[in-house]
Amino acid sequence: MKAADFSYHEVVNLQDAIKIKAQDDEAVILAGGQSLLPALNMRLSSPTCLIDISKISGLNEIKIDGQTLFIGALATHSDVMNNKTVKDNMPCMIDILKMVAHPAIRNKGTHGGSIAYGDPAAELPALAVATNAEIIVSGQNGERSINAKEFYLGLFETAINQDEIVVGIKYPLLKQGQKIVFDEVCRRHGDYAMAGLIANIMGSKNDIKDLKLVFFATGDKPDVADKTARLYLDNGYDYDKLKNSLSSEIDFAGDLNSSSEMKLHLATVLIKKVLSKLEN
Amino acid sequence: MVAKNLVNISFTVNGERFNNVNVPSRQHLADYLRSQGFTGTHLGCEQGACGACTIEMDGKAVRSCLVLASQANGTNLKTVEGFDDEMMEKVKQNFLKHNAFQCGFCSPGMLMTTKEILLNKKKLTRDEIRSEISGNYCRCTGYQSIVDAIEECINEIN
Ligand SMILES: Cc1cc2nc3c(=O)[nH]c(=O)nc-3n(C[C@H](O)[C@H](O)[C@H](O)COP(=O)(O)OP(=O)(O)OC[C@H]3O[C@@H](n4cnc5c(N)ncnc54)[C@H](O)[C@@H]3O)c2cc1C
Ligand code: FES
Ligand code: FES
């Protein structure tokens, strides 16, 4: 199918984008277009006005900012994967991005676009929640910072206001002894996951001091499972108990590829798969 | 195509300049290129999944169904019609040798993906080749012959 008609505005600075967005309720941001264009082509969405922010300079910076790794909204997935600062400070992000779509899509798709879109099956929103990242947005009243957990409200629903644009994400640098481990199940390398898990772990295999489990492609947003993490720490891996706990903690939502029952099973098994990757 | 909104753009395709052309804002780049005779760019899914429309934009592989024609303003594009340098002639020979062209529908995208692999100068195992081409569907070859061809290309340049 083909997209419906819309007006197209290419902007070269952030203030212009904010201005148009604030004036027009229907205006939609176009960054890499790798989620928006499929939706337009399939007529799942037909906005009347697109604001192309991809040519704003300076929004693709990647740097260490205090105790955080800052990734500018317009850095593409490929930019992030090939960046030395990311490699040195958060190599897990590169491993995770290898599972995000395919090379030609990663050449265009942006970090900020993935965070702002909030696809429940996407890896980066779950990583942001798992690492307690801050999402920096800019609007008519200036900048504000939103904690990732408060950013995701529901299915494709975020705390961004109509006049706001994501400008970057701040990931706290990992501390001594802290590890991010992840895995997912998908039908084809690069496809959206049927279920995935990112674990933020403090300690070693036989002595886990703190554990945070964040699932994706399970419910309507990144799903934090604190009770289940506690249960794992107290009792170790017990499939039935963990499955019970997950089903009470997460509202599993089936999709085309997998029923909610199947997602619950995959999520339970992922706990074992992910934690067995830990070294002593 | 009936369109109220037109955008005026300039860009280059395979070395040929396009100056101040009007494109409908809603038209994606693959449709625009095909309308100008670059029909080597194929359209399968128009949602990024099949890879048949993959072309080169400013030196990088992109899905031309997921880029608006208007976004091509100021860029340098290369389609399969322009894959005529020494390296790409070799790649095509290797695809022929291994019977990696069958119906040819996936071929422009497969060639572009191969080009990017070679430009990145990565030495890949067969499994890694499979994951690099995971975004390109082929309904004919069963992929084996394509992996054979790409493997030979990698061995030749490394
Ligand atoms: C075949 C295919 C497979 C894919 N597989 C995966 C996968 O496995 N995992 C995964 O995570 N992703 C996947 N993706 C999506 C890809 O990662 C997208 O690039 C990404 O989700 C969106 O980034 P974008 O820059 O392309 O955003 P766009 O498509 O330009 O925008 C997406 C949405 O976010 C909004 N937006 C974008 N940037 C901003 C901003 N800075 N501020 C405010 N709002 C903004 C837009 O208005 C739009 O609503 C896949 C895509 C395709 C086509
Ligand atoms: S037509 Fe573009 S990826 Fe299928
Ligand atoms: S050769 Fe027919 S689809 Fe690949």
Side-chain angles (χ1 to χ4, degrees):
Chain A
M1 275 172 75
K2 310 291 175 192
D5 203 19
F6 48 75
S7 65
Y8 170 85
H9 303 268
E10 184 184 300
V11 294
V12 287
N13 72 61
L14 190 62
Q15 289 319 314
D16 289 348
I18 292 171
K19 210 152 119 203
I20 304 176
K21 207 160 177 252
Q23 282 164 0
D24 184 346
D25 278 356
E26 290 234 1
V28 166
I29 298 288
L30 169 64
Q34 305 302 290
S35 293
L36 188 56
L37 269 276
L40 297 182
N41 287 349
M42 295 298 126
R43 299 251 177 140
L44 298 173
S45 144
S46 29
T48 52
C49 165
L50 292 198
I51 312 166
D52 184 354
I53 62 168
S54 63
K55 298 205 170 107
I56 299 180
S57 61
L59 267 191
N60 62 351
E61 208 182 359
I62 299 175
K63 62 179 182 193
I64 297 296
D65 182 357
Q67 287 306 302
T68 66
L69 170 66
F70 175 87
I71 301 198
L74 288 182
T76 63
H77 301 319
S78 299
D79 291 340
V80 176
M81 288 173 80
N82 295 320
N83 185 277
K84 187 162 183 317
T85 307
V86 177
K87 202 171 176 182
D88 291 346
N89 292 282
M90 227 191 225
C92 65
M93 190 181 284
I94 297 176
D95 293 332
I96 289 172
L97 284 171
K98 285 183 188 159
M99 303 303 287
V100 173
H102 312 285
I105 292 169
R106 296 197 294 257
N107 282 342
K108 280 245 131 213
T110 66
H111 203 84
S114 184
I115 291 288
Y117 193 46
D119 191 315
E123 287 81 355
L124 293 178
L127 178 66
V129 172
T131 55
N132 206 20
E134 292 283 322
I135 292 151
I136 319 295
V137 298
S138 185
Q140 281 175 309
N141 301 325
E143 269 190 10
R144 66 183 178 117
S145 166
I146 310 169
N147 184 268
K149 187 146 186 261
E150 273 114 53
F151 188 80
Y152 295 105
L153 305 175
L155 193 61
F156 296 105
E157 201 188 328
T158 66
I160 312 179
N161 293 329
Q162 173 58 26
D163 67 315
E164 287 175 329
I165 292 174
V166 172
V167 291
I169 296 91
K170 280 185 178 173
Y171 295 89
L173 293 176
L174 298 187
K175 299 193 180 71
Q176 187 80 27
Q178 187 184 2
K179 291 174 202 82
I180 303 294
V181 193
F182 102 109
D183 209 342
E184 67 180 49
V185 184
C186 54
R187 291 172 73 97
R188 171 179 74 149
H189 183 126
D191 280 356
Y192 277 111
M194 296 155 82
L197 168 61
I198 299 184
N200 183 343
I201 302 157
M202 189 54 119
S204 58
K205 191 169 198 161
N206 299 321
D207 182 24
I208 300 179
K209 299 207 158 41
D210 201 11
L211 175 65
K212 187 166 167 187
L213 300 175
V214 182
F215 292 89
F216 54 96
T218 43
D220 62 355
K221 58 176 191 293
D223 284 309
V224 185
D226 286 339
K227 252 179 40 200
T228 307
R230 189 70 258 155
L231 186 68
Y232 176 85
L233 289 183
D234 292 343
N235 287 331
Y237 187 81
D238 178 323
Y239 176 86
D240 291 326
K241 281 194 180 135
L242 291 171
K243 188 173 168 185
N244 257 334
S245 167
L246 278 179
S247 76
S248 70
E249 210 170 4
I250 296 175
D251 199 2
F252 284 87
D255 55 32
L256 275 180
N257 289 328
S258 42
S259 64
S260 55
E261 186 53 32
M262 182 173 186
K263 283 178 187 283
L264 170 60
H265 164 72
L266 293 175
T268 314
V269 177
L270 276 168
I271 299 178
K272 187 172 189 173
K273 274 186 87 177
V274 164
L275 290 165
S276 66
K277 291 184 180 186
L278 262 188
E279 283 147 27
N280 285 319
Chain B
M1 173 181 268
V2 186
K4 291 197 295 283
N5 292 296
L6 295 172
V7 185
N8 187 270
I9 59 169
S10 301
F11 55 99
T12 306
V13 187
N14 304 332
E16 185 185 336
R17 255 329 265 172
F18 285 72
N19 280 325
N20 295 315
V21 293
N22 283 323
V23 296
S25 61
R26 71 191 187 101
Q27 189 170 47
H28 59 62
L29 185 55
D31 269 345
Y32 179 75
L33 289 171
R34 290 182 58 83
S35 77
Q36 298 305 305
F38 299 102
T39 49
T41 300
H42 293 163
L43 278 168
C45 66
E46 293 181 272
Q47 52 175 302
C50 76
C53 68
T54 310
I55 64 161
E56 185 178 281
M57 181 181 238
D58 290 335
K60 285 185 190 148
V62 300
R63 301 284 208 236
S64 60
C65 72
L66 298 187
V67 179
L68 294 171
S70 54
Q71 291 179 290
N73 194 18
T75 61
N76 193 351
L77 307 175
K78 201 159 239 187
T79 65
V80 69
E81 289 88 349
F83 291 172
D84 51 6
D85 56 72
E86 200 186 330
M87 181 179 90
M88 289 315 287
E89 287 301 339
K90 273 231 171 93
V91 171
K92 285 188 264 183
Q93 285 310 317
N94 281 331
F95 268 62
L96 274 176
K97 178 175 160 192
H98 291 280
N99 202 18
F101 294 132
Q102 290 186 23
C103 80
F105 197 84
C106 69
S107 306
M110 283 293 182
L111 289 173
M112 183 60 233
T113 303
T114 307
K115 183 173 183 187
E116 194 162 69
I117 293 174
L118 298 178
L119 290 179
N120 287 339
K121 296 222 182 311
K122 288 188 216 157
K123 187 124 181 61
L124 303 176
T125 63
R126 289 180 72 86
D127 271 354
E128 286 167 338
I129 294 173
R130 282 182 180 275
S131 84
E132 288 289 315
I133 63 169
S134 67
N136 294 72
Y137 277 129
C138 174
R139 300 277 89 149
C140 303
T141 63
Y143 302 100
Q144 196 71 13
S145 57
I146 295 179
V147 176
D148 291 344
I150 297 177
E151 191 176 36
E152 181 153 346
C153 295
I154 292 177
N155 288 339
E156 273 174 6
I157 69 155
N158 282 300

